[in-house]
Amino acid sequence: MLLKNSVLKVLEENKGKTISGAYIANTLNLSRTSIWKAINALRNEGYVINAVTNKGYSLATDTDIISKEGIALYLNKELSDIEIYSHKTITSTNELAKNLALTGAKHGTTIISEEQTSGKGRLGRSFYSPANTGIYMSMILRPNLTAMDSVLITTSSCVAICNAIYKVTNVQSQIKWIMIFL
């Protein structure tokens, strides 16, 4: 897994550019065969990786699979040590976040997935989250806020994420607001 993620990181850093297998192998201190196996494993996961004989590999610019390696490229330097758990499918990002928080995960630890099979929203209610329809994410925050101020975290985070998505991709995203009835 580490090998495949290392190759993905190099491809993400050079997205749209052709880089030789030899360069990747030398950069990661691995064999060309290992690189080839990692490329095939990534392709099996849905990554579009073009190969040109005697030139190398290129991660297609329209590849939109969510990965820690792809996300990390856009983080500010002071946020580069945030732990990111990326999944294609997960039962619930919220459940994993709770478990990680209980075992001491750091502030900012993020769990992100393209699909949840047992997503949970407020008060443990089911949250419909099918594949290829959204980004499902939970983040562990350990803010120094009052309980009254902490209710604003979700709202401000959603708006900030939509703004960041637009800034990076020029794609307008939407927020599924949760209705609260008193």
Side-chain angles (χ1 to χ4, degrees):
M1 179 90 91
L2 183 59
L3 164 66
K4 182 179 66 173
N5 294 345
S6 298
V7 171
L8 180 57
K9 182 176 187 284
V10 173
L11 291 172
E12 285 282 7
E13 290 170 345
N14 295 281
K15 197 172 197 173
K17 298 177 190 170
T18 301
I19 50 174
S20 73
Y23 171 81
I24 299 170
N26 289 337
T27 300
L28 300 177
N29 198 26
L30 297 166
S31 70
R32 296 276 308 273
T33 302
S34 296
I35 302 305
W36 179 80
K37 287 179 180 179
I39 294 288
N40 285 332
L42 290 167
R43 285 178 172 155
N44 288 336
E45 290 181 14
Y47 288 91
V48 179
I49 302 171
N50 302 310
V52 178
T53 305
N54 296 324
K55 290 203 178 213
Y57 302 103
S58 174
L59 180 62
T61 57
D62 60 351
T63 298
D64 64 352
I65 296 174
I66 297 169
S67 69
K68 173 181 180 173
E69 295 75 18
I71 293 168
L73 294 174
Y74 296 98
L75 295 177
N76 294 334
K77 188 173 182 166
E78 63 271 9
L79 301 175
S80 63
D81 67 339
I82 288 176
E83 191 64 43
I84 300 170
Y85 295 84
S86 174
H87 300 270
K88 188 155 189 70
T89 301
I90 192 171
T91 53
S92 168
T93 60
N94 204 8
E95 285 297 319
L96 181 54
K98 285 179 187 177
N99 291 335
L100 290 169
L102 290 172
T103 59
K106 297 187 307 185
H107 172 81
T109 297
T110 302
I111 300 88
I112 189 166
S113 184
E114 296 180 27
E115 175 185 27
Q116 294 182 111
T117 57
S118 299
K120 297 207 175 44
R122 270 181 38 81
L123 305 175
R125 295 183 181 119
S126 293
F127 190 86
Y128 182 63
S129 38
N132 305 315
T133 61
I135 298 171
Y136 306 103
M137 179 171 59
S138 296
M139 184 178 282
I140 298 170
L141 300 177
R142 301 183 185 278
N144 186 14
L145 297 173
T146 66
M148 180 186 252
D149 290 337
S150 66
V151 298
L152 300 174
I153 291 174
T154 299
T155 305
S156 58
S157 296
C158 289
V159 172
I161 289 166
C162 285
N163 288 339
I165 289 170
Y166 183 76
K167 184 177 180 182
V168 171
T169 67
N170 207 32
V171 172
Q172 193 69 45
S173 57
Q174 296 179 359
I175 300 165
K176 179 182 175 188
W177 293 109
I178 298 171
M179 302 298 290
I180 301 172
F181 299 100
L182 301 175

